Amino acid sequence: MVGKSGGGGGAAEEDGAAAVRRWVEAGGGRLVMDGGLATELEANGADLNDPLWSAKCLLSSSHLIRKVHLDYLEAGANIIITASYQATIQGFESKGFSKEQSEDLLAKSVEIAREAHDMFLKEHSDRPIQHPILVAASIGSYGAYLADGSEYSGDYGEAGTLEFLKDFHKRRLEVLAEAGPDLIAFETIPNKLEAQAYVELLDECNISIPAWFSFNSKDGVHIVSGDSLIECATIANGCSKVGAVGINCTPPRFIHGLILSIRKVTDKPILIYPNSGERYDAEKKEWVESTGVSDGDFVSYVNEWCKDGAVLIGGCCRTTPNTIKAISRSLNQRHSSLHLPVA
């Protein structure tokens, strides 16, 4: 079996959705995810102008990654996502690293998150944390590796075959699972084919820790390739190792309808971590400012998403620890109001 869970006894042996539900229940019915990693790395002085994007910091600025993880934990996040979204063996090899060195860098992303996890718990040892604190190992799409914007279109041209995608992701998945995260996060999945590749790899590699599948949408109905979200969610639903299904890197205004679509085909836990609503310019490789929503507007959606059925909520690109702090506060207030004593 590939993978070892640090999130509490038994997660490696149980159905993925059951493991996630157990964590959600331990968190009081909701778990808060972290926010944009690259956004905060840049705010802390990192230069991410590189095809590796945030994974570039694995080479020389691991202290910044650790700091950002800690900032999100202090803001109220229950789940931190590793700096491996754009980290691939192929990408590191293109920089001159050997296969072994490239695999070590992938594993390092989980080690850094674990260090932040342990530091946070140690710093709060005087008042033990009651809710789960989890590490999710990020796996970005093939398009994220290409760094050409195709993660926002799902158009891979001739490379878009099932076997090619499985071969591309296989060893990366094994290395990250062996590094000891609590979950595997398949993020910003842009097309149905890549979702199918992930499902087959989870089974073929005998991955023993829960995974989540998160898609992105530009219109609130389809994922970015034009494939049906319902068909994609159905693929995820058919895999017992997938513990949660949801949406990331999508404008907040689309989330309500997307949750309802997902709920038509699965009863797995639903996760939601939208971007700020700003538009990404793939040619300039930058976010277009003044097209998003404020933290206050972003958080105003949270109650609606909870009512719709989301149980894991956070932020993606261009969201910050302040966003996550506001989400955590909103969820805590909602939890308190739902458990007020009856007069």
Side-chain angles (χ1 to χ4, degrees):
M1 259 188 245
V2 177
K4 50 184 180 180
S5 174
E13 301 299 331
E14 64 188 314
D15 171 87
V20 174
R21 288 192 188 99
R22 178 171 52 82
W23 286 322
V24 168
E25 183 178 351
R30 297 285 183 274
L31 291 178
V32 179
M33 303 164 70
D34 65 9
L37 178 63
T39 304
E40 284 305 292
L41 288 172
E42 289 179 324
N44 280 275
D47 177 8
L48 304 184
N49 185 21
D50 189 280
L52 291 175
W53 200 36
S54 56
K56 178 185 176 185
C57 290
L58 291 170
L59 307 180
S60 59
S61 305
S62 58
H63 64 289
L64 292 182
I65 300 173
R66 189 181 305 107
K67 179 184 183 300
V68 172
H69 285 327
L70 282 166
D71 287 346
Y72 277 119
L73 290 171
E74 292 291 350
N78 305 117
I79 303 174
I80 50 174
I81 304 174
T82 63
S84 53
Y85 174 77
Q86 219 145 355
T88 63
I89 295 169
Q90 298 89 335
F92 289 130
E93 286 180 332
S94 72
K95 295 284 188 180
F97 293 94
S98 68
K99 185 173 187 292
E100 183 179 4
Q101 289 171 324
S102 300
E103 291 183 0
D104 286 346
L105 284 166
L106 275 176
K108 184 179 179 180
S109 69
V110 178
E111 292 164 9
I112 294 168
R114 277 275 168 229
E115 289 170 5
H117 166 282
D118 294 347
M119 289 171 66
F120 177 75
L121 292 182
K122 185 176 181 180
E123 289 171 6
H124 293 272
S125 59
D126 58 326
R127 47 184 181 89
I129 304 297
Q130 299 299 318
H131 49 72
I133 301 294
L134 306 170
V135 171
S138 173
I139 293 183
S141 67
Y142 174 65
Y145 154 75
L146 294 176
D148 63 357
S150 57
E151 67 194 290
Y152 299 107
S153 71
D155 182 3
Y156 296 160
E158 294 181 1
T161 69
L162 184 65
E163 289 308 314
F164 176 89
L165 292 173
K166 286 171 63 176
D167 183 64
F168 177 82
H169 288 295
K170 182 176 187 291
R171 185 56 189 154
R172 178 195 194 188
L173 171 60
E174 291 173 337
V175 170
L176 286 170
E178 289 165 359
D182 300 300
L183 300 124
I184 300 290
F186 293 101
E187 303 190 274
T188 325
I189 305 172
N191 58 49
K192 183 168 64 174
L193 190 68
E194 202 149 19
Q196 183 63 42
Y198 292 150
V199 163
E200 294 187 15
L201 284 176
L202 285 170
D203 286 331
E204 292 170 13
C205 298
N206 199 20
I207 301 301
S208 61
I209 55 179
W212 80 53
F213 277 28
S214 185
F215 302 91
N216 58 331
S217 174
K218 290 187 291 190
D219 63 5
V221 178
H222 307 88
I223 65 172
V224 293
S225 64
D227 291 336
S228 160
L229 173 62
I230 289 178
E231 291 180 9
C232 292
T234 300
I235 290 171
N237 186 61
C239 180
S240 65
K241 300 185 180 188
V242 175
V245 185
I247 299 292
N248 76 293
C249 212
T250 295
R253 66 183 183 277
F254 292 142
I255 299 301
H256 169 71
L258 293 168
I259 294 175
L260 298 184
S261 293
I262 293 171
R263 287 187 61 189
K264 290 178 181 178
V265 293
T266 187
D267 62 358
K268 294 180 187 286
I270 292 177
L271 69 153
I272 297 298
Y273 52 121
N275 57 33
S276 66
E278 293 169 76
R279 180 175 57 83
Y280 184 73
D281 188 321
E283 290 185 7
K284 294 182 179 178
K285 297 184 185 298
E286 62 184 28
W287 291 90
V288 180
E289 295 186 10
S290 302
T291 58
V293 297
S294 67
D295 285 344
D297 289 337
F298 187 101
V299 173
S300 70
Y301 287 99
V302 168
N303 277 336
E304 178 183 46
W305 298 338
C306 289
K307 291 175 184 176
D308 292 337
V311 293
L312 301 98
I313 298 176
C316 197
C317 297
R318 308 289 282 181
T319 61
T320 70
N322 284 336
T323 316
I324 300 310
K325 186 180 295 183
I327 290 173
S328 179
R329 187 181 301 119
S330 176
L331 290 177
N332 287 335
Q333 290 172 348
R334 184 176 191 274
H335 180 76
S336 298
S337 68
L338 292 174
H339 292 81
L340 288 174
V342 178

